[in-house]
């Protein structure tokens, strides 16, 4: 109470820093966008602006290029939309109601056939954008990995049915996903352990890693190994800067964990759309060359996958060594156990937390690069789609225990890939989330967690 | 049980209940003529550390019993266990677990309380307070009090919409609450947020709130902690008046001198066990009690009881590390 | 000048949209969860979606309006029970993770191609599949009516009828929540937000009360979902996580733990978004930010606004700082 003015002053000082930082980010966004470097940003042909008198139909047809016609008819009007080079199209209508959208199959490139229905109906309200999805077989990037999330393109057809070869293949895929998840979720778990924060923006660190790798490797043509190293350093730096300008001041300000949780959600939202502005909504390839594959018995893997798994194992082992064998690592676990006590025993808690931020951001960035290589591309929502799997893994292992996060990730990775054998692909993430809920029912503290004491 | 007949409250006067204690032997786990609470085989361990291990304990009805012991003796954990806020490690389990003769069981007012939720324990008439006060800081003092009232129609979801259904009861509860606030000298604070009260006032509020439910037995966890000395005297007075109203009081305290004036019976815990029982003056000269207070750990401050598990665990860990270091040194030699 | 007037018109029009009202209903529900009970429900859009599916599929199966509406409400209750049983005894952040996960599960199942015949898969269900029974209830008749500077159909897809019904619902639900919160039931709920253990020690079944609150807020979410799809269409992907975050922003903006906070927050939120988007379209040339990017930029503004709001003014516009407790 005595040093109230001092407190107020510091608060003002850092809040100003935060505002300046955010405004700075926005200005930087404008500046970058006005540069020619943003040639990969999304473009629309003859943009349609939805307002009180207009409704917009739009969509992207993957792999068809420019010139495909879509006829929108209904309510006494007929509008024709034509795709641009990216397969994007849009059209404006001025009456609300139901329209029939017909893709003119004659305008499709040779050898390309419809996968979805060529005629679809949609209704629209003025002032809204309405998407319509047409998918094709045999498009130029038809082989690209499906990142069908919120934009919703075709879904994988269910190749269900059991055989041992498939089991082997899916198990290895599960292990691969598990290891990559572990890279990301160990950081999530360490942050939770040391600060109590459920960081919903952690997934954006993963995405950032992948997108930076795209920039360095694909756009600037840097060797992929060097790219990985640069990305790890850069994402580690973003962890540091985050702690400096956001999390440490907020800790000092005494925000509750719930407030901090909502702050991370806001941050995640802002970052996702910032990625979209910079990189567009497409899936971006980190390495342009077509992946080569290696076959071991029934299991076929790309070279990138093998590298990714190897790197993950080495890095996870290194993190494990750091946490259990080094002085700083043990201090980290002590902070995780009881920050007040650790502080009392002379550990610099703030330093440890900063280290944890750097480390988790770097691990997440690395995971993003690896995911981008394994999934054959990265988009603004790659991390977001995996966030819940990470949380499941961390919860499964016991919130705040790094080793638990590893085991949890492997279990979740396996569940996701193996459930694919009996269930349609649409359900694979749902199965993992369901597993999370069931585990909370049976063992709420997770596999390696402890119960807390009350009173 | 010999006292199975006299279950209901108020058949004898407080003085009579107290007099009965004269015949009780001064040893741990002794049998009381009129036990309101009987505890058997309650133990709780956190990891490898046993925080509470009580074989048998009876608490006499209608008197003030103090539960004392040095920091880290397991008093609060024991409180948590019997009030349903924690589950004994020795509890009966669906699969495995201890045999039924060794499983934890405890009876309150003639009813078994094993596997009973904290809310249900409270409904049976055993109401507790907390060491760190749990005043609902963003509610007013009066709202805090009203929350304590039992059997409120307005707490039913559907009834809640219709004020006439619960208005009369609310009015009666309010009158009762105001009377209690008056008794605890909090009346003029009734419209203040509970968070704005001082530490001692919060303790008083918590006690008054517990009384709103007309408890049979009130369990106070360190009611004197953090209360300024001027208020302590009136707090002690309040506790005594509760007994004189026919209530049973069990309270936790670690300062022995504090309790000698008001307690009719003292139970001493150390390292999770009951080590001595008896009236205050005899207990204080008991060798086991002196050992407990000044014994093995007189050189270490075990800190706040709340951090029992962590502090104790760390202490043990430190000892282990020291042990290892020593053995390494000897090996080198 | 015309541009500015158009933006102002768009802002005011967005404030009376039936979808805005639907949003406000969901925000009132979320406020029962978070503002009053302290439950961290991060899956309010899941409640909306499950209500929307319940309603749309029932109408598709030929049920009358009221039966379908009832099914939507029951779906919300069932979803709340399903989520509450495993999590309400656990710490708050578990509920956050489970609700967000469950909302995603609903969306993933809804958009699965196997269920194309029932849910319409990722394309969802068009409005005319389920809209007519609602429009048929209208007694506003045909034609158009002008009120202030707004001219809409009396009954049509997006006319006065749906505006009147949804906003009336908003007021009724606000009234019901007010009735609840002044009662002893509301007192228990608010006490749980403050300290569960204290409430438990006074003989109240915290689990049961939390469950009731979860159901109430969830049902409001489901009803919000039904009203949200009526003037538009049911699209699972537009009712994902981001929608939940929007509702949170709107609620916190107005002021959690107040009766009118969520409504005010929703109004201001939508008007501001139109203002940001419209303003940028007017003053920022297309070469710098095209339409799609202005849309994206407005989302960044939402994210940053949410952060700043929680940090600097957690009580929102009309909230009382003393009333709001973030320490759940």
């Amino acid at each position: 109470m005595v040093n109230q003015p001092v407190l107020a002053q510091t608060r003002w000082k850092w809040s100003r820093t935060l505002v300046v930082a955010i405004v700075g980010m926005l200005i930087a966004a404008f500046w970058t966008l006005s540069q020619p470097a943003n040639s990969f940003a999304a473009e629309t042909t003859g943009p349609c602006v939805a307002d009180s008198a207009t409704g917009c139909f739009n969509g992207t047809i993957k792999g068809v290029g420019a010139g495909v016609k879509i006829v929108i008819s209904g309510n006494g009007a007929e509008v024709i939309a034509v795709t641009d080079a990216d397969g994007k199209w849009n059209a404006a209508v001025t009456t609300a109601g139901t329209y029939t959208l017909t893709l003119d199959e004659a305008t499709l490139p040779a050898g390309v056939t419809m996968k979805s229905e060529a005629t679809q109906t949609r209704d629209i309200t003025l002032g809204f954008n309405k998407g319509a999805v047409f998918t094709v077989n045999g498009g130029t990037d038809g082989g690209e990995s499906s990142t069908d999330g919120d934009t919703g393109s075709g879904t994988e057809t269910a190749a269900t049915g059991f055989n041992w070869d498939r089991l082997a293949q899916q198990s290895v895929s599960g292990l691969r996903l598990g290891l990559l998840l572990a890279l990301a979720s160990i950081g999530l778990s360490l942050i939770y352990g040391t600060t109590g924060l459920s960081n919903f923006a952690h997934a954006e660190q993963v995405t950032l890693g992948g997108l930076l790798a795209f920039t360095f490797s694909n756009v600037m043509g840097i060797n992929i190994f060097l790219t990985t190293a640069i990305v790890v350093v850069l994402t580690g730096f973003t962890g540091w800067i985050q702690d400096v300008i956001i999390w440490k001041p907020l800790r000092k300000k005494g925000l509750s964990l719930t407030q901090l949780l909502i702050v991370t959600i806001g941050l995640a939202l802002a970052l996702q759309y910032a990625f979209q502005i910079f990189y567009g909504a497409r899936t971006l390839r980190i390495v342009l060359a077509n992946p080569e594959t290696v076959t071991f018995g029934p299991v076929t893997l790309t070279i990138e996958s093998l590298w990714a798994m190897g790197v993950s194992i080495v890095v996870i082992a290194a993190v494990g060594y750091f946490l259990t064998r080094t002085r700083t690592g043990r201090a980290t676990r002590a902070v995780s156990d009881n920050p007040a006590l650790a502080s009392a025993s002379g550990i610099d808690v703030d330093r440890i937390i900063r280290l944890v931020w750097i480390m988790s951001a770097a691990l997440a960035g690395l995971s993003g690069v690896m995911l981008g290589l394994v999934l054959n591309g990265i988009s603004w929502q790659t991390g977001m789609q995996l966030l819940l799997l990470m949380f499941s893994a961390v919860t499964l292992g016991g919130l705040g225990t790094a080793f638990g996060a590893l085991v949890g990730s492997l279990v979740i990775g396996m569940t996701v890939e193996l459930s694919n054998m009996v269930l349609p692909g649409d359900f694979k993430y749902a199965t993992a989330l369901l597993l999370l809920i069931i585990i909370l029912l049976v063992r709420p503290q997770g596999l390696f967690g402890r119960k807390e004491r009350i009173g | 049980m010999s006292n199975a007949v006299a279950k209901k409250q108020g058949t004898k006067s407080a003085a009579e209940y107290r007099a009965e204690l004269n015949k009780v032997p001064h040893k741990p786990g002794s049998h009381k003529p009129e036990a309101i609470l009987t505890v058997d085989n309650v133990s709780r361990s956190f990891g490898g550390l046993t925080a509470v291990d009580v074989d048998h304990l009876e608490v006499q009805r209608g008197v003030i019993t103090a539960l004392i012991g040095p920091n880290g003796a397991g008093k609060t954990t024991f409180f948590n266990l019997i009030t349903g806020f924690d589950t004994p490690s020795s509890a009966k389990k669906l699969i495995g677990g201890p045999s039924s003769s060794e499983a934890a069981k405890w009876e309150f007012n003639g009813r078994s309380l094993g596997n009973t939720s904290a809310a249900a324990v409270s409904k049976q008439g055993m109401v507790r307070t907390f060491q760190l006060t749990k005043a609902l800081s963003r509610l007013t003092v009066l709202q805090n009090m009203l929350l304590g009232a039992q059997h409120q129609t307005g707490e039913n979801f559907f009834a809640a919409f219709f004020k006439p259904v619960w208005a009369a009861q609310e009015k009666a509860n309010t009158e009762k609450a105001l009377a209690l606030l008056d008794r605890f000298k909090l009346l003029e604070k009734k419209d203040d947020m509970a968070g704005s009260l001082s530490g001692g006032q919060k303790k008083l509020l918590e006690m008054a709130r517990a009384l709103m439910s007309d408890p049979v037995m009130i369990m106070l966890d360190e009611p004197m902690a953090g209360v300024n000395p001027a208020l302590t005297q009136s707090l002690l007075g309040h506790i005594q008046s509760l007994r004189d109203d026919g209530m049973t009081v069990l309270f936790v305290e670690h300062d022995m001198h504090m309790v000698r004036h008001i307690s009719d019976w003292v139970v001493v815990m150390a390292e999770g066990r009951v080590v001595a029982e008896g009236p205050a003056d005899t207990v204080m000269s008991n060798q086991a009690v002196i050992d407990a207070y000044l014994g093995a750990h007189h050189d270490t401050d075990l800190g706040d009881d709340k951090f029992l598990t962590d502090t104790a665990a760390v202490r043990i860990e430190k000892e282990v590390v020291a042990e290892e270091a020593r053995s390494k040194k000897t090996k080198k030699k | 000048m015309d541009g500015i007037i158009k933006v102002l018109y768009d802002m005011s029009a967005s404030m009376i949209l039936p979808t805005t009202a639907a949003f406000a209903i969901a925000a009132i529900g979320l406020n029962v969860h978070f503002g009053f009970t302290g439950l961290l429900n991060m899956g309010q859009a899941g409640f909306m979606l499950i209500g929307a599916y319940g309603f749309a599929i029932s109408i598709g199966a030929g049920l009358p309006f009221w039966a379908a509406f009832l099914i939507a409400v029951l779906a919300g209750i069932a979803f709340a029970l399903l989520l509450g049983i495993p999590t309400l005894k656990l710490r708050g952040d578990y509920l956050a993770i489970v609700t967000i996960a469950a909302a995603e599960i609903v969306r993933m199942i809804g958009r699965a191609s196997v269920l194309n015949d029932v849910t319409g898969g990722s394309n969802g269900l068009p409005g005319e599949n389920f809209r007519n029974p609602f429009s048929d209830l209208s007694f506003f008749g045909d034609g158009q009516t002008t009120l202030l500077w707004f001219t809409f159909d009396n009954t049509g897809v997006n006319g006065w009828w749906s505006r009147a019904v949804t906003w009336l619902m908003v007021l009724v639900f606000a009234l019901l929540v007010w009735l609840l919160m002044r009662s002893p039931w509301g007192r228990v709920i608010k006490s749980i937000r403050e300290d569960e253990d204290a409430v438990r020690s006074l003989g109240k079944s915290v689990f049961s009360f939390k469950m009731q609150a979860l159901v109430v807020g969830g049902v409001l979410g489901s009803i919000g979902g039904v009203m949200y799809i009526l003037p538009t269409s049911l699209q699972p992907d537009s009712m994902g996580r981001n929608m939940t975050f929007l509702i949170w922003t709107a609620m916190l903006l107005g002021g959690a733990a107040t009766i009118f906070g969520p409504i005010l927050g929703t109004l201001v939120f939508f008007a501001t978004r139109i203002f940001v988007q419209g303003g940028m379209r007017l003053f920022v040339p297309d070469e710098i930010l095209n339409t799609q990017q202005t849309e994206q930029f407005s989302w960044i503004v939402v994210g940053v606004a949410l952060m700043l709001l929680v940090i600097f003014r957690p009580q929102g516009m009309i909230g009382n700082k003393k009333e709001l407790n973030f320490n759940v």
Side-chain angles (χ1 to χ4, degrees):
Chain A
M1 282 298 136
V2 186
N3 50 2
Q4 194 70 47
V6 183
L7 268 179
Q9 207 176 7
T10 10
R11 188 182 308 158
W12 158 240
K13 225 164 111 190
W14 85 259
S15 66
R16 195 171 45 182
T17 319
L18 186 67
V19 171
V20 167
I22 288 165
V23 170
M25 264 158 58
L26 296 181
I27 292 172
F30 273 116
W31 180 78
T32 322
L33 286 166
S34 54
Q35 301 304 305
N38 69 340
S39 56
F40 45 81
E43 284 175 24
T44 48
T45 47
C48 164
V49 181
D51 54 33
S52 52
T54 324
C56 298
F57 284 108
N58 54 34
T60 306
I61 309 172
K62 283 184 183 165
V64 292
V68 176
K69 272 187 192 164
I70 295 129
V71 182
I72 294 121
S73 59
N75 300 304
E78 184 164 296
V79 189
I80 295 175
V82 183
T83 59
D84 66 5
D86 292 330
K88 287 183 190 301
W89 59 270
N90 64 40
V93 292
T94 48
T95 316
T98 306
Y99 289 85
T100 308
L101 284 70
T102 311
L103 190 146
D104 186 352
E105 292 183 61
T107 58
L108 284 173
V112 175
T113 54
M114 286 308 296
K115 188 170 166 187
S116 62
E117 294 289 322
T119 304
Q120 302 183 8
T121 50
R122 285 284 183 285
D123 28 30
I124 194 161
T125 313
L126 297 186
F128 283 82
N129 288 307
K130 176 70 94 179
V133 179
F134 294 96
T135 51
V136 293
N137 292 316
T140 47
D141 57 356
E144 206 164 284
S145 70
S146 56
T147 50
D148 41 350
D150 288 352
T151 46
S153 63
T155 43
E156 292 171 52
T157 38
T160 50
F162 181 85
N163 67 56
W164 290 104
D165 287 358
R166 224 172 109 70
L167 179 68
Q169 175 75 47
Q170 292 302 101
S171 305
V172 174
S173 303
L175 181 66
R176 183 182 67 188
L177 180 62
L179 285 170
L180 297 184
L181 268 184
L183 272 186
S185 39
I186 286 175
L188 190 65
S189 176
L190 280 174
I191 291 177
Y192 182 86
T194 47
T195 64
L197 175 67
S198 304
N199 181 14
F200 277 72
H202 194 68
E204 276 54 55
Q205 290 290 335
V206 175
T207 313
L208 180 68
L211 292 175
L212 285 177
F214 162 79
T215 312
F216 290 113
S217 173
N218 186 333
V219 178
M220 293 165 67
I222 298 174
N223 168 297
I224 183 67
F225 292 100
L226 188 58
T227 295
T228 311
I230 298 174
V231 168
V232 168
V233 171
L234 280 182
T235 49
F237 176 74
T238 60
W240 178 79
I241 201 94
Q242 263 188 71
D243 191 48
V244 172
I245 67 167
I246 308 181
W247 307 118
K248 188 179 173 194
L250 291 185
R251 278 201 302 280
K252 295 283 171 278
K253 193 177 190 244
L255 255 71
S256 73
L257 289 174
T258 308
Q259 272 169 296
L260 287 174
L261 186 149
I262 300 172
V263 172
T264 66
I265 287 177
L267 181 64
L269 205 59
L271 285 175
Q272 279 165 25
Y273 286 92
F275 292 153
Q276 267 196 64
I277 289 194
F278 285 115
Y279 289 92
R282 287 174 305 155
T283 299
L284 306 162
R285 300 275 302 264
I286 293 176
V287 177
L288 284 176
N290 272 329
E292 287 172 44
T293 57
V294 197
T295 306
F296 309 92
V299 181
T300 305
L301 280 178
T302 58
I303 301 278
E304 280 91 345
S305 292
L306 283 178
W307 271 109
M309 288 166 80
V311 169
S312 306
I313 291 173
V314 170
V315 171
I316 290 168
V319 171
Y321 179 85
F322 166 76
L323 286 178
T324 52
R325 294 277 179 274
T326 65
R327 215 182 138 72
T328 322
R330 276 202 293 259
T332 309
R333 286 194 302 150
V335 175
S336 224
D337 233 36
N338 186 336
L341 194 68
S343 173
S345 11
I347 296 173
D348 183 351
V349 174
D350 272 333
R351 199 178 67 91
I352 295 291
I353 291 178
R354 182 148 303 168
L355 184 77
V356 164
W357 270 105
I358 297 173
M359 200 163 81
S360 0
L363 285 173
L366 179 64
S367 162
V369 181
M370 299 297 151
L371 278 167
L373 290 174
V374 166
L375 299 176
N376 228 342
I378 189 102
S379 78
W380 64 280
Q381 53 178 355
T382 306
M384 183 186 95
Q385 285 167 344
L386 293 176
L387 178 70
L388 287 177
L389 295 190
M390 289 180 221
F391 269 119
S392 306
V394 170
T395 313
L396 181 61
L399 282 172
T401 61
F403 178 67
L406 170 62
V407 178
S409 300
L410 292 175
V411 173
I412 292 290
M414 285 288 184
T415 312
V416 167
E417 295 294 347
L418 290 179
S419 71
N420 218 0
M421 297 187 62
V422 283
L423 287 170
D426 297 323
F427 292 125
K428 64 181 188 180
Y429 290 155
T431 323
L433 299 181
L434 200 63
L435 181 72
L436 165 74
I437 294 177
I438 293 169
I439 282 164
L440 284 178
L441 259 176
V442 183
R443 200 179 154 80
Q445 71 271 42
L447 296 175
F448 301 95
R450 288 176 313 199
K451 274 192 176 169
E452 283 184 25
R453 182 168 171 257
I454 313 162
Chain B
M1 285 266 133
S2 58
N3 55 348
V5 198
K7 278 298 160 255
K8 295 298 158 231
Q9 196 171 348
T11 48
K12 296 176 196 170
S13 76
E16 281 172 309
Y17 284 125
R18 237 177 305 161
E20 285 178 350
L21 282 175
N22 294 334
K23 291 166 254 165
V24 175
H26 302 170
K27 61 172 206 290
S30 59
H31 174 69
K32 311 288 184 310
E34 193 79 48
I36 189 169
L37 177 71
T38 318
V39 180
D40 280 298
N41 301 322
V42 167
S43 72
R44 176 75 168 98
S45 46
F46 296 98
L49 182 88
T50 305
V52 169
D53 186 6
V54 173
D55 293 335
H56 186 77
L57 178 68
E58 293 182 13
V59 175
Q60 170 78 347
R61 181 189 295 273
V63 302
I64 299 177
T65 305
L67 181 63
I68 65 168
N71 279 324
K75 303 172 303 260
T76 295
T77 308
F78 182 62
F79 247 46
N80 285 344
L81 290 170
I82 50 183
T83 51
F85 279 87
D86 197 356
T87 319
S89 317
S90 53
K92 243 188 238 178
K93 293 185 180 74
L94 227 54
I95 308 154
S99 70
S100 60
S101 63
E102 284 167 19
K105 58 172 185 279
W106 62 106
E107 269 187 9
F108 171 70
N109 225 0
R111 284 200 193 155
S112 170
L113 281 188
N115 279 332
T116 311
S117 74
V121 167
S122 164
K123 272 188 192 146
Q124 305 235 344
M126 184 156 87
V127 178
R128 73 171 290 183
T129 66
F130 294 87
Q131 184 184 343
L132 301 169
T133 46
K134 292 189 182 295
L136 307 161
S137 21
R138 285 157 175 96
L139 265 62
T140 66
V141 169
L142 183 59
Q143 281 177 316
N144 261 275
M145 292 296 289
L146 289 171
L147 184 72
Q150 299 294 301
H151 311 295
Q152 296 193 48
T153 323
E155 285 179 5
N156 177 292
F157 175 72
F158 298 102
F161 290 104
F162 307 103
K163 193 171 180 183
V165 177
W166 46 263
Q169 195 188 26
E170 183 85 347
K171 197 159 167 263
N173 284 337
T174 309
E175 275 163 21
K176 185 175 166 189
L178 292 177
L180 274 168
L181 285 177
D182 195 23
R183 179 171 158 190
F184 283 83
K185 308 271 183 300
L186 287 171
L187 193 55
E188 66 254 49
K189 298 269 178 192
K190 71 181 167 65
D191 294 321
D192 292 7
M193 292 285 170
S196 67
L197 298 182
S198 74
Q201 286 171 326
K202 281 183 188 162
K203 291 265 180 194
L204 285 172
L205 172 61
E206 212 176 37
M207 208 185 288
R209 192 175 63 191
L211 292 178
M212 279 298 286
S213 64
D214 300 320
V216 182
M217 177 169 172
I218 183 159
M219 313 199 29
L220 309 167
D221 195 351
E222 300 212 11
M224 262 78 83
V227 177
N228 76 49
L231 254 177
T232 310
Q233 213 49 47
S234 85
L235 245 167
L236 293 176
H238 284 309
I239 296 177
Q240 266 172 323
S241 71
L242 296 181
R243 174 195 59 194
D244 299 338
D245 292 350
M247 236 172 271
T248 309
V249 181
L250 178 65
F251 76 105
V252 162
E253 186 53 59
H254 67 255
D255 185 350
M256 282 207 288
H257 305 284
M258 205 71 110
V259 306
R260 62 188 308 177
H261 305 294
I262 60 157
S263 54
D264 302 311
W265 193 259
V266 177
V267 175
V268 186
M269 278 182 83
E271 294 179 331
R273 295 169 173 280
V274 175
V275 293
E277 270 192 57
D281 37 1
T282 54
V283 156
M284 284 168 93
S285 53
N286 185 316
Q287 192 55 41
V289 177
I290 295 167
D291 281 351
Y293 270 87
L294 304 170
H297 301 289
H298 62 94
D299 54 336
T300 46
D301 180 12
L302 297 184
D304 193 334
D305 198 35
K306 186 172 182 290
F307 296 111
L308 161 77
T309 52
D310 290 319
T311 24
V314 165
R315 174 165 53 80
I316 289 167
E317 204 167 68
K318 270 186 193 160
E319 280 168 11
V320 170
V321 170
E323 197 78 38
E324 274 175 2
R326 243 174 280 144
S327 66
K328 265 183 197 165
K329 268 184 198 164
T330 39
K331 265 181 201 165
K332 270 183 192 165
K333 280 175 190 169
Chain C
M1 198 58 205
D2 276 1
I4 294 170
I5 289 170
K6 197 169 161 321
V7 169
L8 288 176
Y9 172 82
D10 281 350
M11 279 168 70
S12 58
S14 79
M15 288 168 82
I16 59 164
L17 273 178
T19 45
T20 306
F23 231 84
I25 296 173
I28 292 173
L30 183 64
N31 192 30
V32 172
H33 288 156
F34 176 74
F36 292 112
T37 324
L39 299 173
L40 273 178
N41 172 16
M42 286 289 161
Q44 188 68 340
F47 281 99
M48 292 177 79
L49 193 53
I50 205 135
Y53 272 128
F55 177 81
I57 294 171
S58 308
I59 295 276
L63 290 180
F65 178 81
W66 291 112
F69 194 80
L70 186 68
I71 284 175
V73 169
L74 290 176
I77 293 175
F79 194 54
L81 292 175
L82 203 68
L83 292 183
I85 289 168
T87 50
L88 286 184
K89 287 188 173 165
L90 307 175
R91 231 179 22 218
D93 39 0
Y94 282 103
L95 183 70
I97 293 169
V98 167
T99 44
I100 198 171
E104 285 294 286
I105 292 179
V106 172
R107 189 175 66 86
M108 284 172 187
I109 292 178
R111 71 195 300 285
S113 47
V114 222
L115 294 173
N116 238 334
D117 296 339
V118 189
T119 61
S122 57
N123 290 335
L125 297 166
E128 69 265 23
N129 283 20
F130 48 78
R131 180 180 299 144
N132 293 338
F134 174 68
S135 306
D136 292 347
L137 293 177
S138 168
F139 47 81
F140 281 21
D142 295 330
Q144 290 194 327
T145 305
T146 302
L147 218 63
L148 297 176
W149 50 87
F150 300 114
T151 305
F152 298 111
D153 289 348
N154 285 343
T155 296
V157 172
N158 200 4
W160 286 113
W161 168 243
S162 57
R163 279 178 174 75
V165 173
T166 47
W167 282 106
L168 187 68
M169 281 172 121
V170 169
L171 293 179
V172 168
F173 289 135
L175 176 72
L176 289 179
V177 169
W178 177 75
L179 284 174
L180 272 178
M181 290 309 157
R182 66 161 188 174
S183 75
W185 187 87
R187 188 163 58 220
V188 179
I189 288 297
K190 286 185 265 185
S191 306
I192 289 173
R193 181 188 69 193
E194 298 291 314
D195 194 319
E196 280 183 25
D197 285 333
V199 179
R200 221 169 257 137
S201 77
L202 294 170
K204 324 278 173 195
S205 169
V206 169
F207 178 76
S208 158
F209 278 100
K210 277 187 181 177
M211 187 62 100
Q212 292 171 34
L214 189 67
V215 168
V216 173
V219 165
L220 288 180
S222 296
I223 294 175
V226 173
M227 302 325 284
Y228 185 79
I229 59 164
L230 273 175
T232 54
S233 64
L234 197 174
Q235 283 193 308
D237 291 334
S238 70
M239 294 166 93
R241 263 180 274 182
N242 284 350
M243 185 176 235
T244 302
F245 299 156
L246 284 190
I247 302 171
W248 269 90
T249 313
M251 177 193 71
L252 292 172
L253 182 66
T258 61
I259 300 294
F260 288 107
I263 305 171
L264 180 69
T266 308
L267 289 174
V268 174
F269 176 80
F270 277 97
T272 313
R273 263 199 76 199
I274 298 281
F275 176 75
V276 170
Q277 277 184 34
M280 290 189 60
R281 254 175 238 150
L282 277 181
F283 300 112
V284 181
D286 248 18
E287 301 83 66
I288 295 181
L289 282 181
N290 62 35
T291 314
Q292 206 176 347
Q293 286 170 332
T294 11
E295 164 99 22
Q296 288 159 357
F297 187 82
S298 76
W299 279 99
I300 297 182
V301 172
V302 170
V304 174
L306 183 60
M307 289 169 74
L308 296 178
L309 197 61
V310 172
I311 297 172
F312 297 110
R313 205 176 160 81
Q315 72 273 36
M317 293 166 67
I318 58 171
N320 177 354
K321 197 161 192 178
K322 283 188 188 150
E323 261 277 314
L324 180 67
N325 184 5
F326 262 106
N327 299 311
V328 281

